[in-house]
Each structure stands twice: as structure tokens, then as C-alpha cells.
Amino acid sequence: MAINRKIQTLDEFTIQQMRNFPQATGELSGLLRDMGLAAKRVHVEVNKAGLVDILGDAGTMNVQGEEVKKLDVFANNQFMGVLQHGISCAGIGSEELDDIVVFDDEVSNQSKYVCLFDPLDGSSNIDVNVSIGTIFSVFRRVSELGKPATKADFLQAGNKQVAAGYVIYGSSTMLVYATRRGVNGFTLDQSIGEFTLSHPDIQCPDTGKIYSVNHGNFFQYEEKVKEYINACQRKNKDNGGPYTQRYIGSMVADVHRNLIKGGIFMYPGTTDKPKGKLRLLYECNPFAFIVEKAGGKATNGKQRILDIEPTEIHQRTPMFIGSKLMMEELESFTQQATK
Ligand code: AHG
């Protein structure tokens, strides 16, 4: 068997990137490697999810006599733990926690970055063996180095992100991250326990045939959004329609598929929840950064996601994200003057 491809692990890749930038301090590379380490630990637990009857349900004792934590709490503790004990992160914000956590020790106060994450997105899908994920976003601090991080470090517009990524725990486990230099994907090779570069320089196809939206909410969407969804279902020789509807209900899986194959994902506001469901800082900003770096677009229907100035850490926003031409088609509906 001819093997002519050099395997490059996540660690080797981040170190290689650093070598190309001799002025880099290695802090961001270290942070990304920390995220990879936590992701491997979460991968192991996610894969045990179906064994819950054997190993014990959340809140009970497992066979070692340890309390079994809910997976999203476990994931939160893993990501927070690696960052707190690493040397690159001054504090975190998590979808699981009410407020930011500032690490406030000598090393952390010197760290340049803060990280926001959703430790286990789509967690309602765990029980039914559907793909779930982790999403993260990294900002350079705006507060003074040497002092504890402040809320202002976390409340920055998405266009200030220095890196963002996600992990998908699916038929294989993948970590995808973006920096200003592009988007790269790593698949967990379980035989060596390492994320290895499998999807270098990911580019989102300019167009596709998939639209992803919760159709159950259709009658609660704005008229222009409904018109666009109706158009997705019509025959259209210019855009290759009708499109195919695919919606997993796990944003990481839905956006990952559309990033690779081309497509559009939408979580619009509804009459009940005008701001939709998704969180700007933990879900929308990181995906907007990744998809834009891969050549796609992301808006809230009126404004680029990355230009929204956040005012609170758990704020929500409508979200439309995907292939460039499909997003422009959507905008031809949403940006029409109201009749
Ligand atoms: P949760 O983590 O509570 O399962 O939420 C998942 C998020 C996101 O991943 C997904 O796209 C969306 O919620 C699905 O929401 P609907 O069920 O309302 O469509």
C-alpha cells in the first residue's frame, strides 16, 4: 500500500504556523492545543453516552464510586480547566455559566487572550446519538496586561476575534479552526489519539443546494424570510433550485455540512422570540468568523454578524449563514423595501 501523505498533527501544525511567524509568542498556538486536549477528553465521554445505563446516569455514582456529571457540565469543566491551567488565557465566558470567569492569578493576568465557548452545543441530541459539538471564540484582551481580565475583553465585536473554531463529535470527531490566515480541519485519529490535518484550507463553495431551517417555526418568521424559504422550494434554473432541506437541530453539524458542501443555515427570529435562539458570543460570532474566512457570509438579516457590538454576554441574535451566492440571494429578499 502506497502512503504518500505526511501526517501532520494539530500540535505539529500549530507549531509549524508559529515557525512561519518568528515574532509570534506561541500563546495562541498553546491555547488551540489546549482546546484540542479538552476536546479529546470530551470525545471519550460523548462516546460513552449510550452506555449510560451501564455506567450510571447523571447525578448517580459510577462504578468507581465517582459522581457522574451531565455531559454538558463535564464538557464545560474540561474546557475551562485546560484554559485555567494553561498559560494563554486570562478568563472565559461559557454558555453554561451565568457570568464570565476571570482566572486572576499571576500567569493568567499576563495572558493575552480570553476565550468564549459553548461546551456542548446541541446537547438535547445526546440521548439519540446525533452529532453534537463545541464552539469557541478567542479575543485579544483590551484590558491592561498584568491585571485581571474585565468584561470589556469579552464584549468585543466578532470582527475582533483572532481565532474561532468548533469540534464536531460525529461519525468521526473533527476540530476545525480559523485564524486570519484561513480555516483548517483536523480529524481525530483514534489509533494515535491525535487530531491530524485532514481538511487543509477549507473553502466554502460559493453556492450549494442545501437550506437548513426549523420549518416548524415557519408561520412565525417575518414575511421576507418566508418568501425566501418558499423560493428555496421552487424550481429555479438560475440557482439550481429547488434546494434540499436538511436540518439536524445541532448547529455545529448543520453548519459544518454546509461549510463543506455549500448551503445556507438559518435561525431567524420568530414572533415569540424576535431575537431567535442562538447566542451571539458562543455560537454566531465564532461560526461567522469561520465561514467568512472560508469565503462565505453571515448576517442577522440586517447587519453582518461580526459587526454587532455586544452589550451582554448571553445576548441572542437571528442568524443566517452560508455560501456567498446563497446568502446574496437571501439578501435580495430580506433587504427589499417593505411593500
Ligand atoms: P441545544 O444545545 O439546547 O440542543 O440547542 C441547540 C441549538 C443549535 O445547535 C441548533 O441549531 C438549534 O438550537 C436548534 O433549535 P430548534 O430545535 O429550535 O430548531
Side-chain angles (χ1 to χ4, degrees), residues 88-279:
S88 314
C89 187
I92 59 112
S94 164
E95 206 243 10
E96 279 289 315
L97 303 174
D98 290 340
D99 207 351
I100 57 169
V101 177
V102 172
F103 296 149
D104 194 9
D105 58 63
E106 208 177 322
V107 176
S108 304
N109 289 347
Q110 289 295 342
S111 303
K112 276 200 295 230
Y113 300 107
V114 294
C115 188
L116 292 129
F117 52 80
D118 181 350
L120 215 54
D121 183 66
S123 50
S124 52
N125 282 321
I126 295 169
D127 293 347
V128 286
N129 214 347
V130 167
S131 298
I132 49 180
T134 299
I135 315 167
F136 63 93
S137 163
V138 183
F139 287 93
R140 192 184 296 272
R141 288 172 64 181
V142 290
S143 58
E144 195 181 330
L145 277 190
K147 299 211 166 135
T150 66
K151 200 156 241 174
D153 298 323
F154 297 87
L155 290 178
Q156 300 188 60
N159 57 34
K160 299 275 173 24
Q161 287 172 104
V162 292
Y166 62 88
V167 184
I168 177 165
Y169 310 98
S171 44
S172 59
T173 291
M174 267 189 86
L175 185 151
V176 175
Y177 80 82
T179 62
R180 67 191 162 86
R181 297 163 66 199
V183 187
N184 291 281
F186 302 81
T187 301
L188 183 61
D189 179 343
Q190 296 195 53
S191 65
I192 55 170
E194 294 282 0
F195 283 105
T196 57
L197 183 62
S198 53
H199 295 63
D201 192 22
I202 295 174
Q203 300 290 329
C204 181
D206 274 349
T207 191
K209 298 203 72 151
I210 296 172
Y211 75 104
S212 312
V213 70
N214 184 337
H215 262 283
N217 292 337
F218 182 84
F219 291 107
Q220 291 202 52
Y221 295 147
E222 274 180 46
E223 260 340 285
K224 291 169 182 178
V225 173
K226 284 193 220 167
E227 282 168 24
Y228 173 70
I229 294 173
N230 282 333
C232 288
Q233 300 169 340
R234 269 187 231 116
K235 210 167 180 57
N236 183 332
K237 65 175 170 34
D238 295 327
N239 65 11
Y243 298 148
T244 297
Q245 148 76 353
R246 292 277 181 270
Y247 190 72
I248 294 171
S250 186
M251 187 189 188
V252 177
D254 278 312
V255 179
H256 174 71
R257 181 201 51 237
N258 293 0
L259 173 67
I260 303 291
K261 292 193 163 191
I264 186 167
F265 170 91
M266 299 172 268
Y267 204 108
T270 59
T271 39
D272 287 352
K273 293 181 183 157
K275 292 186 173 162
K277 175 180 183 187
L278 303 176
R279 316 272 183 153

